[in-house]
Amino acid sequence: EEQARETDGAVGGVLQPDLPGFVAPIEFVPAGSLVIPMDNTLQGTGSNFNLRAYGALVDLLYADIPLKWLIKTGKAKDEVDWSVGTTTNGLLDFRAGPFVVDAARAAAAMTVLDGMWADVNYFVTDMDSFAPVRHNIATKPFIAISKAGGHEDIHEDFLLAAGITNTLVTKYKIIDDNGLALLSSEDCYSIVTEPHFDSGDPVYAEAARAFLLSGGNMLAQCRAIQTYEEGHFHTTEGITVGSEFAIKTYSNSDTPYAQWQGEVASNGGSVPSALLDDGSQLRPSTFSVVDDGALDTQYHVWATRVDGTADEVLGGMLHYLGGHSYDEGADLLQRDAVR
């Protein structure tokens, strides 16, 4: 068993592909490869994004079909990642981090996609090309959702909306507060997600640290941000609760955590955003994806690498998302927060 984290080589000085400053290696993509778009136009359902694309990607991995995650280095918000000719639609522009299946596995991938994922769009390239590959992914993801705060339904509903279920094989697990407190390097979860958890007990932050340092990843949302930031993962001296804000600044748009197209909602809750406590600073590997752009910054979507360095092999990512609950339904801003 292994944690689902890659250690791709970098052209530049940053070695970790989940951090800002990483230069995605340019790889050859032969004609006949499949492209699964992740933008609102090419993977849209009406005016919205088709969340089931994520379920299709997960099923491809469970069918032992590797994926290339294409993200253009240094791109601006919603900029094109890659343009390539296709057999059915000519030259297309792909945004928001498209995924590619190499031509050698295209037939196997089409067998998967043309079955229960017939509503998920894909295109076949008609030309050899080169593309910026942020991640090569082969590991089957296994997700843990915490019910310690009693709101596990928030994240489970997101998975089900994406078609990620336990019907044929177990792809996610619900864990309780004991499971959280005992997290360690022995747990083979790709990511642990915590929708909402109010606790001042340091045991949870310390268990999270052991899991993250082993290469696992986590997402903390709403009140869970305060619970885990007691461990000072993102900051040196802690945070205080911020507020909702309408005007948003988008940064580090070429990081994997920033791959959606358009604006993102902010939904109140116990922790809609966070500010630095007096005297507190962001740790070296902490970066913002969405904030209010103010001098006294309120962070809404932000992340860090827990070891605080960009060049260590061990370590994992801890992602924070402000706001209590988001709707996977028709509103695009809400759905972008779900993504």
Side-chain angles (χ1 to χ4, degrees), residues 150-169:
H151 294 279
E152 67 277 9
D153 58 301
I154 293 174
H155 288 177
E156 187 173 25
D157 285 350
F158 296 165
L159 294 187
L160 296 178
I164 300 172
T165 71
N166 288 332
T167 302
L168 298 178
V169 62

Side-chain angles (χ1 to χ4, degrees), residues 5 10 20 33 111 118 145 161 172 187 199 224 245 270 302 304 309 333:
R5 181 180 62 82
S33 296
T111 299
I145 301 174
Y172 70 89
D187 288 301
S199 175
F245 49 87
S270 301
W302 47 321
T304 197
T309 67
L333 271 69

Side-chain angles (χ1 to χ4, degrees), residues 4-9 17 22 25-28 61 66-70 99-100 102 132-139:
R5 181 180 62 82
E6 289 70 45
T7 55
D8 307 39
F22 180 85
I26 303 301
E27 297 187 12
F28 177 67
L61 291 170
L67 300 171
K68 296 181 182 295
W69 195 357
L70 273 52
F99 289 82
V100 166
D102 186 87
V133 179
R134 190 83 178 203
H135 273 291
N136 281 289
I137 306 173
T139 307

Side-chain angles (χ1 to χ4, degrees), residues 280-302:
S280 189
Q281 297 179 346
L282 297 181
R283 292 198 177 275
S285 289
T286 301
F287 62 94
S288 176
V289 174
V290 184
D291 58 54
D292 66 353
L295 184 61
D296 193 12
T297 308
Q298 297 188 102
Y299 298 98
H300 178 47
V301 182
W302 47 321

